[in-house]
Amino acid sequence: MAEAYARGGRYGKALAAFGAAGALAVGAAAPAGASEAGAGMRGERYVALGDSYTSAPGVPEQTGGDCARSSVNYPSVTAKWLHTRTFKDVSCSGATTDDMRRAQGANPPQLNALGKGTTLVTVGIGGNDIGFGDIIGTCAQLSVTDPAGAPCRTKYTDGGKDQLTARIAAAAPNVAQVLKEVRKRAPHARVVIVGYPTIMPDNGVGCFPAVPIAAGDVSYLRDTEKHLNTMLKQQAAKAGVRYADTYGPTVGHDVCKPAADRWVEGANPENPAAPFHPNAKGEEAMARAVLGVAKKR
């Protein structure tokens, strides 16, 4: 399954060793108010852009070819709840902000899916710009050297500068440029940039060795993700678009929770999903957050 979502090696080298699980279909019940929202928004022409947290690799059924798109990812669930008139999901596993404007393998630039008739756009991007797959892989490998310490934080802050903070800062103008281009190509659309859900536990020291992240690195990676989400929220505000917080609604359903309560899988998924990615329940939770923002006129 690693090959199914390892776009050009971006995830493969870091995550392939973790493996993945079998298939299990999960239904998405519409949240309260979704029927009313859908009834009033049936004319929506919705386009979804994004990376693997949008496409949902490993979550059945996979329909996106080498982009590892799921039929129950958050754009698909959102489109279903909104009873959209048209829906295009061009999200692709491994996508960076550059892939919004350039071809990603055999897949055309994601921005090409937009048009003047588009009325709703969601954008889930930024994690690959800071090297999500490599970060997780590196931290997992280093965890065995000092399980009670913070070897990953030590590596990324060597020399007194936090490399991941610097990467987030460097990604900000790229995100801004994507949002600017979205507004240009879809001038009449409501645009929602979607944050990343809770991955590491929101408190505590994690669950090594079940999830191979050293105790001190759990808080480091948690704070890094929060910093990334803050950047995305800030760029949304600067661009005059909306921000969907998926972190808050998913607290308590992180990689260390029991399989039945887990919405983001760990190193060895027990529910169908790519390692360290949302499963079907996680995608549904993200859809609820997106719907709450998108339905506001």
Side-chain angles (χ1 to χ4, degrees), residues 68-151:
R69 245 176 259 129
S70 170
S71 62
V72 293
N73 61 12
Y74 75 75
S76 297
V77 174
T78 301
K80 178 182 177 181
W81 287 342
L82 292 179
H83 306 287
T84 54
R85 181 174 178 179
T86 63
F87 169 51
K88 294 180 183 178
D89 179 5
V90 293
S91 61
C92 198
S93 184
T96 66
T97 51
D98 284 342
D99 295 314
M100 301 297 104
R101 297 182 296 273
R102 70 183 183 191
Q104 187 178 354
N107 305 285
Q110 292 190 31
L111 287 167
N112 286 7
L114 301 174
K116 295 189 184 304
T118 305
T119 62
L120 175 64
V121 182
T122 56
V123 185
I125 205 73
N128 291 321
D129 284 68
I130 71 168
F132 169 77
D134 286 340
I135 294 167
I136 291 294
T138 297
C139 292
Q141 291 173 359
L142 290 176
S143 67
V144 297
T145 67
D146 187 10

Side-chain angles (χ1 to χ4, degrees), residues 99-215:
D99 295 314
M100 301 297 104
R101 297 182 296 273
R102 70 183 183 191
Q104 187 178 354
N107 305 285
Q110 292 190 31
L111 287 167
N112 286 7
L114 301 174
K116 295 189 184 304
T118 305
T119 62
L120 175 64
V121 182
T122 56
V123 185
I125 205 73
N128 291 321
D129 284 68
I130 71 168
F132 169 77
D134 286 340
I135 294 167
I136 291 294
T138 297
C139 292
Q141 291 173 359
L142 290 176
S143 67
V144 297
T145 67
D146 187 10
C152 194
R153 179 177 61 195
T154 298
K155 172 181 172 58
Y156 285 116
T157 59
D158 184 42
K161 179 181 179 180
D162 191 324
Q163 297 175 38
L164 302 190
T165 296
R167 291 183 191 182
I168 292 170
N174 298 334
V175 172
Q177 184 59 42
V178 169
L179 295 178
K180 180 179 180 180
E181 191 66 26
V182 169
R183 295 295 296 271
K184 179 181 177 181
R185 298 193 187 206
H188 307 299
R190 298 187 319 287
V191 181
V192 181
I193 189 164
V194 182
Y196 290 88
T198 305
I199 304 172
M200 294 295 120
D202 197 51
N203 54 60
V205 295
C207 51
F208 184 92
V211 174
I213 301 296

Side-chain angles (χ1 to χ4, degrees), residues 1 18-24 58 265 268-275:
M1 183 171 290
F18 294 139
L24 175 67
E265 294 297 314
N268 298 293
E270 294 181 74
N271 301 298

Side-chain angles (χ1 to χ4, degrees), residues 225-240:
E225 184 188 359
K226 288 183 175 181
H227 189 182
L228 173 61
N229 279 335
T230 296
M231 181 273 284
L232 295 174
K233 185 176 182 179
Q234 290 171 342
Q235 294 309 311
K238 289 179 180 179

